[in-house]
Amino acid sequence: MRVICMLAVFFGTWTARGAGAPADGPVVEIVTAFSPTVVPLPADQDFTGNGLITQELVKNSGPLEYAVHLNVRGAYDDNIALTHTSRLDDFFVQIQPSVMLGIGDVVKTDTFLAAIYAPSFYRYDDHSDFDSDQHQVRVLGGIQSGNLILRFTQDVAILNNIVLAATSDERSALGTINGRTDLDLYNTRLVANYNMTPNDFLFSELKMSRTEYAQPLVSSELYAVDLYLNHGFTQSLVLGAGVEGGYNTVDFPTPNQSMVQANGHLRFQPSDRFSFDVIAGAEFRKFESSSRTIPRGSYSTPVFSISASWLPCDSTRIIFGATRQVLNSAAQTAQDYVDTNLSMTIRERLSRQVYFIVLGGYEHVDYFNTIDSPMPLLTLSDDYFYIQPSVDILLTRFWSLGGYYLRRQNSGSVSIVDFYSNEYGVRTSIKF
């Protein structure tokens, strides 16, 4: 299920289908920097000071780093409900104050602790039933001691009255043509990196994620751990291998599942201007039986996670990401799906104060049954893409103003899930 919750690009962007894909962004990792765009602008690199108010204060020499921003976006969308028919258009405004508090080296993230809170309030002119209040919190920290590096992140997103762009079964389960629901997301990560020798290091990660929908949609939890052994053949080339195991609990009627991945790892970084990282392998899933369901046999599929960054020149940055993973459907259909997702960001500095940014992405989803039944459900699929060009102008070191256009389109194996939308908007960000 794709969740369209129109999250502002404050944490970078959020996560993918079924876990909060933003209306105006791809799937990339969350970043610490405060920014009205996915790629931070120069005005956002200095956390403390140089703001509308803080520029008048003396230079911060204390241990506490802080930042206070206000992002405001106004836009027109010709299909706010993302429906195939009965399209609704409207103007809306998003208001997002945000605050960050941190101790330690928040920029280099060696030894530090930081907390970020960014609520978002959406208000529509003619369709107030689409108004939405959303709250995002991230706590992150790290410790570096000798050969050991530890990182911790905790993300919480409370998303009220968000729009679903989903298969017909998922959408109809809500009992409303406009397909809105509440969604709470909880993601916890604990990462350890240990350098055994100058060329060999261990990487391990404990993770927990919970996707909690309002009834009657299906919620789920995943608990997993992975371990990788990596060897640096040169300063620029690292190869490794690892395994991941986890347990996936899902509300009825989808059975609980266990999963194992066997993956290889490649990291290539010949210079500061180019980096390429890929983890790829295969995932194997088994489904538990219960008194009310008979599970299918095991299921296996290729999986991967790819990230790349390239600076062909000082004024241009290109970021690419790709993932393939198995996720649980939120519909009461006893199905999972394989999600393949591609995203790209291109940022071009046209002048010292003008930036041109293009976001784009493509997502393909294939559903499969998790139980055996005399009349199994159809295994649907759909394809979704988006593109968003935008221009941002740094009016001062604490104030930016920009405009964007967003095109979204979905086509599925069942035509009633097809939709397209066009959004035109302006946005501004003020650093206090």
Side-chain angles (χ1 to χ4, degrees):
M1 171 176 294
R2 181 179 297 105
V3 180
I4 304 297
C5 51
M6 296 195 304
L7 304 180
V9 188
F10 166 74
F11 291 122
T13 55
W14 196 244
T15 172
R17 182 187 185 94
D24 54 348
V27 180
V28 296
E29 67 177 279
I30 296 173
V31 296
T32 307
F34 286 68
S35 177
T37 57
V38 169
V39 182
L41 300 177
D44 302 301
Q45 297 303 304
D46 185 3
F47 284 100
T48 304
N50 293 325
L52 177 63
I53 298 174
T54 54
Q55 66 172 335
E56 306 296 335
L57 306 177
V58 297
K59 182 176 177 60
N60 177 48
S61 57
L64 183 66
E65 298 283 345
Y66 62 90
V68 180
H69 280 206
L70 175 63
N71 297 328
V72 179
R73 175 162 63 116
Y76 167 80
D77 195 311
D78 65 4
N79 190 4
I80 61 173
L82 302 178
T83 53
H84 181 55
T85 58
S86 304
R87 295 161 55 89
L88 302 175
D89 67 296
D90 206 349
F91 291 91
F92 70 89
V93 63
Q94 176 205 6
I95 301 173
Q96 184 192 59
S98 54
V99 60
M100 185 278 290
L101 298 175
I103 299 176
D105 195 340
V106 179
V107 176
K108 292 183 179 180
T109 65
D110 290 334
T111 299
F112 75 104
L113 178 65
I116 306 170
Y117 173 53
S120 287
F121 307 99
Y122 292 87
R123 295 297 180 264
Y124 288 80
D125 282 352
D126 298 326
H127 302 87
S128 59
D129 50 327
F130 281 82
D131 291 351
S132 175
D133 296 338
Q134 304 175 10
H135 302 270
Q136 302 173 66
V137 177
R138 165 167 257 215
V139 177
L140 61 164
I143 297 176
Q144 183 169 348
S145 177
N147 294 329
L148 178 65
I149 301 174
L150 295 176
R151 294 283 185 271
F152 168 81
T153 60
Q154 175 65 60
D155 296 308
V156 178
I158 309 299
L159 311 177
N160 168 257
N161 200 37
I162 59 175
V163 175
L164 298 182
T167 68
S168 56
D169 286 325
E170 291 167 322
R171 192 141 177 149
S172 62
L174 298 174
T176 170
I177 188 174
N178 291 329
R180 300 188 305 277
T181 188
D182 296 335
L183 171 63
D184 298 341
L185 300 169
Y186 307 90
N187 289 282
T188 305
R189 298 289 185 272
L190 178 62
V191 176
N193 194 102
Y194 181 72
N195 295 315
M196 299 181 297
T197 72
N199 296 321
D200 300 287
F201 64 95
L202 286 172
F203 175 87
S204 183
E205 182 180 28
L206 295 172
K207 49 190 174 183
M208 184 280 288
S209 63
R210 174 161 180 80
T211 304
E212 186 173 333
Y213 287 97
Q215 293 292 334
L217 296 180
V218 173
S219 301
S220 60
E221 294 182 4
L222 175 65
Y223 304 88
V225 59
D226 58 47
L227 178 65
Y228 287 85
L229 175 62
N230 299 274
H231 176 74
F233 288 89
T234 66
Q235 291 291 327
S236 60
L237 178 63
V238 174
L239 294 177
V243 295
E244 177 176 334
Y247 188 70
N248 188 189
T249 62
V250 194
D251 289 349
F252 181 82
T254 306
N256 294 338
Q257 308 159 30
S258 59
M259 51 81 69
V260 175
Q261 290 184 8
N263 294 316
H265 176 221
L266 165 66
R267 178 167 180 82
F268 180 60
Q269 188 172 1
S271 69
D272 292 338
R273 290 184 171 273
F274 179 79
S275 66
F276 177 79
D277 193 277
V278 57
I279 295 176
E283 178 172 311
F284 306 89
R285 287 202 168 225
K286 291 186 176 180
F287 304 88
E288 293 185 354
S289 59
S290 70
S291 58
R292 294 182 289 179
T293 61
I294 301 175
R296 62 165 290 162
S298 61
Y299 180 85
S300 62
T301 186
V303 291
F304 56 77
S305 175
I306 302 171
S307 62
S309 178
W310 181 35
L311 280 73
C313 60
D314 291 340
S315 62
T316 304
R317 177 185 293 270
I318 300 173
I319 298 174
F320 173 79
T323 60
R324 179 181 169 91
Q325 57 186 327
V326 179
L327 298 170
N328 309 121
S329 172
Q332 293 184 320
T333 55
Q335 290 185 327
D336 287 350
Y337 59 87
V338 179
D339 179 284
T340 304
N341 196 299
L342 309 176
S343 65
M344 179 173 287
T345 301
I346 302 175
R347 187 194 74 166
E348 178 69 28
R349 189 180 69 236
L350 302 178
S351 67
R352 184 177 179 180
Q353 294 178 292
V354 180
Y355 289 79
F356 176 68
I357 300 172
V358 178
L359 309 177
Y362 166 77
E363 185 176 7
H364 177 75
V365 171
D366 283 310
Y367 287 79
F368 62 90
N369 292 305
T370 59
I371 62 174
D372 284 330
S373 62
M375 298 182 62
L377 293 171
L378 293 176
T379 52
L380 306 177
S381 65
D382 70 336
D383 297 274
Y384 169 77
F385 84 87
Y386 62 89
I387 186 168
Q388 178 187 290
S390 63
V391 175
D392 287 280
I393 304 172
L394 298 179
L395 301 175
T396 71
R397 62 176 176 266
F398 56 81
W399 182 22
S400 69
L401 178 66
Y404 70 92
Y405 164 71
L406 171 64
R407 169 74 178 194
R408 290 172 290 175
Q409 186 164 325
N410 191 80
S411 60
S413 53
V414 177
S415 62
I416 59 174
V417 306
D418 296 352
F419 70 83
Y420 68 90
S421 73
N422 299 283
E423 185 177 305
Y424 310 84
V426 294
R427 60 192 180 194
T428 187
S429 179
I430 300 175
K431 178 180 179 182
F432 292 100

